[in-house]
Amino acid sequence: MTQRKGIILAGGSGTRLYPITVSVSKQLLPVYDKPMIYYPLSVLMLAGINEIAVITTPQDQDQFMRALGDGSQWGVSLTYIVQPSPDGLAQAYLLAEDFLAGAPSAMVLGDNIFFGHGLPELLAEADAQETGGTVFGYRVADPERYGVVDFDAEGNARQIIEKPEVPPSNYAVTGLYFLDGDAPDRARKVTPSDRGELEITTLLEGYLHEGMLKVKQMGRGYAWFDTGTHASLLDAGNFVRTLQSRQGLQTGSPDEIAFDQGWIDRAGLEERGKLFAKNDYGAYLLSLLK
């Protein structure tokens, strides 16, 4: 099987978070003690993916390169791709086509945060699927804000509807998509929606109608945050703070994951720990060496 590559879609204008995103990209805002983009990056790394493209706006690319570098500090290779205008999530597959070079991909939205016991196993199962794709459904109280999964009586997905007025279920499709190497070709055939965007739901529907898309439900033990509003950004930060202070463990740490994956050695982790030595994050990294 060809090694799966990762995509982080960190474009967009962040207007829903104005005025705090007037001068800084949404995906670089802090979620408690780390930049937002650390969390989706960590998800891809947990899935064993170390070749990753970061898609950003032209004006924000320098900020991301300053925040993440080339990825070598984590044993990861980062490629930067510019999205000239936000023309829909499916556009990411066209922009990343050369980078993917026919490889299957896992794309995660740069403002999505995932947490849960068993998450690595869930990701590994999706990664093992060579043809078609896997997406994840998460129960929400306000499904009309999302792409929503319509299940049949046996619990199989039969339709994905974008922002339905009358949702067929409470399960929203999260911003994490495992798709095969055909995704760019399929994205090219997507017709722009009424709002002029290449909708990810249209792309997924194509897979679904051919019986090639699995929708895995994330149960009660998982947390998913789409940090696109001021309230959800604060909720995510409070969740991370509570979790870390109660457990004494980090979440969304590419440094710890890189060490666990064997992509960096003890010296590499120590160097990162010393870089952040004046705060709890640095102390935590150094404690892993004990």
Side-chain angles (χ1 to χ4, degrees), residues 32-91:
Y32 185 48
D33 60 349
K34 292 176 288 292
M36 186 187 294
I37 197 168
Y38 270 35
Y39 298 88
L41 172 62
S42 294
V43 169
L44 296 181
M45 292 172 67
L46 274 176
I49 296 169
N50 59 8
E51 279 188 79
I52 299 167
V54 182
I55 299 178
T56 74
T57 63
Q59 64 270 22
D60 291 326
Q61 190 175 70
D62 285 349
Q63 294 179 16
F64 282 95
M65 293 176 81
R66 197 158 60 247
L68 304 175
D70 62 1
S72 58
Q73 69 274 30
W74 300 308
V76 167
S77 170
L78 294 180
T79 298
Y80 293 91
I81 298 172
V82 163
Q83 183 182 36
S85 58
D87 297 324
L89 302 185
Q91 184 193 25

Side-chain angles (χ1 to χ4, degrees), residues 21-193:
T21 50
V22 168
S23 61
V24 64
S25 169
K26 169 175 68 173
Q27 292 88 357
L28 291 173
L29 293 175
V31 175
Y32 185 48
D33 60 349
K34 292 176 288 292
M36 186 187 294
I37 197 168
Y38 270 35
Y39 298 88
L41 172 62
S42 294
V43 169
L44 296 181
M45 292 172 67
L46 274 176
I49 296 169
N50 59 8
E51 279 188 79
I52 299 167
V54 182
I55 299 178
T56 74
T57 63
Q59 64 270 22
D60 291 326
Q61 190 175 70
D62 285 349
Q63 294 179 16
F64 282 95
M65 293 176 81
R66 197 158 60 247
L68 304 175
D70 62 1
S72 58
Q73 69 274 30
W74 300 308
V76 167
S77 170
L78 294 180
T79 298
Y80 293 91
I81 298 172
V82 163
Q83 183 182 36
S85 58
D87 297 324
L89 302 185
Q91 184 193 25
Y93 294 100
L94 303 179
L95 296 172
E97 185 169 18
D98 289 345
F99 163 77
L100 293 174
S105 61
M107 181 169 80
V108 61
L109 304 187
D111 62 355
N112 274 221
I113 295 170
F114 297 88
F115 178 83
H117 179 69
L119 183 60
E121 290 79 10
L122 201 65
L123 299 173
E125 189 179 343
D127 181 48
Q129 189 178 340
E130 295 191 29
T131 57
T134 301
V135 295
F136 302 92
Y138 186 87
R139 186 178 174 86
V140 294
D142 50 353
E144 61 281 353
R145 288 182 50 218
Y146 304 95
V148 179
V149 187
D150 179 17
F151 295 101
D152 64 20
E154 283 75 46
N156 300 309
R158 60 185 174 190
Q159 199 177 5
I160 298 171
I161 309 165
E162 184 66 25
K163 297 183 175 65
E165 288 184 17
V166 182
S169 79
N170 281 82
Y171 279 88
V173 177
T174 72
L176 177 60
Y177 318 92
F178 282 74
L179 296 179
D180 62 20
D182 292 339
D185 283 338
R186 288 174 175 268
R188 196 172 289 107
K189 296 169 185 168
V190 171
T191 305
S193 64

